[in-house]
């Protein structure tokens, strides 16, 4: 019998359809991967990218042929998505008589198997990160806040910004280059922003104007990895929190407090 070949086809989900894109994966299985050929590399004990203890092989590419997989259950984990996209959730697939017969359900992205069982298409979704302006006490804001968002080690070209203000009005804007110069910093005015396609990297978010009657939250940084917020650090007079799925940053301002101290002047002092 001919040795079977399975193709892992990497694509991204865009507004107009699907496009090819490179990503990094980890392949593991119940059956040994030694002797399996991935993108022209035949796996041996000492092959770079192969971990014998966990029987895991790491590879990157847009379209990757895998030859020689024995019948059994395998797991595919995307460890690095294309910039501005989220990784697909880890999934398993079954090989029977040299073809893919089934895959497990994924919670992010999509997995499609060709009718002949020889191609698995993995599709990533474009990332969406929300920045929401709120208050420590949960009061409804009637005024807008102003922030400056700065990309430290990447650029903001091509990012879509959807802004909602205190009155509920929304606007959409795609950030474009200024001539030949890439954009690394933008001002945000409103109460809620959805940033679509934000590249992986480190960002600084500085609140420059708080809603009327509230104190300004100081500058803080956040790191985006595989399309979600992984960490933040803040020097703040209010509070900053990140949702469990890494898709939302909430910035909370505290009500400003002014103390008026009343004294009287006497012969001996105040």
């Amino acid at each position: 019998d001919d040795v079977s070949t399975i193709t892992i086809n990497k694509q991204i989900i865009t507004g107009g359809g699907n496009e090819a894109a490179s990503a990094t994966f980890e392949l593991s299985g119940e059956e040994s991967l030694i002797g399996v050929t991935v993108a022209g590399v035949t796996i041996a004990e000492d092959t770079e990218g192969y971990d014998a203890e966990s029987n895991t092989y790491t590879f990157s590419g847009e379209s990757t042929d895998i030859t020689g997989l024995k019948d059994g259950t395998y797991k595919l984990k995307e460890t690095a998505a294309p910039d501005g996209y989220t990784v697909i959730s880890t999934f398993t697939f079954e090989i029977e008589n040299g073809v893919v017969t089934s895959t497990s359900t994924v919670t992010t992205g999509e997995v499609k198997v060709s009718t002949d069982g020889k191609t698995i298409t993995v599709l990533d979704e474009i990332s969406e990160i929300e920045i929401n302006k709120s208050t420590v006490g949960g009061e409804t804001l009637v005024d807008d806040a102003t922030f400056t968002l700065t990309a430290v080690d990447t650029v903001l070209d091509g990012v879509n910004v959807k802004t909602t203000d205190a009155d509920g009005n929304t606007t959409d804007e795609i950030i474009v280059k200024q001539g030949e110069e890439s954009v690394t910093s933008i001002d945000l005015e409103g109460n809620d922003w959805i940033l679509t396609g934000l590249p992986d990297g480190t960002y600084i978010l500085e609140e420059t104007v708080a809603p009327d009657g509230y104190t300004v939250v100081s500058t803080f940084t956040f790191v985006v990895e595989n399309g979600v917020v992984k960490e933040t650090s803040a020097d703040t007079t209010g509070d900053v929190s990140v949702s469990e799925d890494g898709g939302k940053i909430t910035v909370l301002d505290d009500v400003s407090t002014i103390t008026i101290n009343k004294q009287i002047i006497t012969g001996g002092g105040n």
Side-chain angles (χ1 to χ4, degrees):
D1 292 341
D2 293 334
V3 178
S4 65
T5 296
I6 304 297
T7 300
I8 306 296
N9 185 22
K10 183 73 189 78
Q11 295 186 343
I12 55 177
I13 303 172
T14 65
N18 303 328
E19 297 178 3
S22 182
T24 301
F25 293 94
E26 289 180 357
L27 174 68
S28 59
E30 297 173 347
E31 300 291 335
S32 174
L33 296 178
I34 292 177
V36 173
T37 300
V38 180
V41 176
T42 301
I43 301 172
E45 287 275 358
D46 58 352
T47 297
E48 183 179 357
Y50 178 64
D51 182 74
E53 185 174 349
S54 62
N55 190 39
T56 300
Y57 182 66
T58 301
F59 65 93
S60 300
E62 295 179 3
S63 181
T64 304
D65 289 340
I66 303 175
T67 302
L69 287 177
K70 299 175 183 177
D71 287 0
T73 302
Y74 296 87
K75 181 184 294 184
L76 194 65
K77 176 182 180 180
E78 186 178 14
T79 58
D83 224 7
Y85 288 78
T86 58
V87 293
I88 196 169
S89 54
T90 302
F91 66 95
T92 59
F93 61 94
E94 298 283 340
I95 298 288
E96 185 177 336
N97 295 324
V99 297
V100 179
T101 57
S102 64
T103 64
S104 63
T105 302
V106 297
T107 55
T108 58
E110 294 181 25
V111 175
K112 299 178 180 180
V113 179
S114 61
T115 54
D116 62 5
K118 295 181 179 181
T119 301
I120 300 174
T121 301
V122 179
L123 301 104
D124 287 342
E125 295 175 338
I126 194 167
S127 68
E128 283 192 354
I129 293 175
E130 180 180 3
I131 300 173
N132 179 257
K133 182 66 190 164
S134 188
T135 68
V136 172
E139 299 88 355
T140 300
L141 292 172
V142 296
D143 290 309
D144 291 334
T146 302
F147 289 87
T148 297
L149 176 67
T150 302
V152 176
D153 51 9
T154 184
V155 297
L156 298 172
D157 302 342
V159 175
N160 186 88
V161 181
K162 181 180 181 179
T163 300
T164 304
D165 65 17
D167 296 323
N169 302 310
T170 61
T171 58
D172 273 286
E173 176 188 8
I174 297 177
I175 301 171
V176 296
K177 282 186 176 182
Q178 304 300 310
E180 295 299 317
E181 295 293 324
S182 289
V183 178
T184 58
S185 183
I186 58 172
D187 291 329
L188 303 170
E189 183 175 350
N191 279 332
D192 189 88
W193 303 268
I194 296 176
L195 308 176
T196 303
L198 196 66
D200 287 0
T202 300
Y203 297 86
I204 298 173
L205 188 66
E206 179 183 6
E207 186 176 10
T208 55
V209 180
D212 204 18
Y214 290 84
T215 56
V216 173
V217 170
S218 302
T219 302
F220 71 96
T221 62
F222 63 95
V223 176
V224 176
E225 183 181 328
N226 286 327
V228 296
V229 178
K230 287 295 187 181
E231 59 183 89
T232 63
S233 61
D235 176 15
T236 174
T237 56
D239 195 15
V240 177
S241 65
V242 179
S243 61
E244 188 174 344
D245 64 2
K248 182 176 181 178
I249 300 171
T250 302
V251 181
L252 302 105
D253 282 349
D254 207 354
V255 177
S256 61
T257 301
I258 305 297
T259 300
I260 299 176
N261 186 16
K262 182 70 181 76
Q263 294 184 347
I264 58 174
I265 302 173
T266 66
N270 299 332

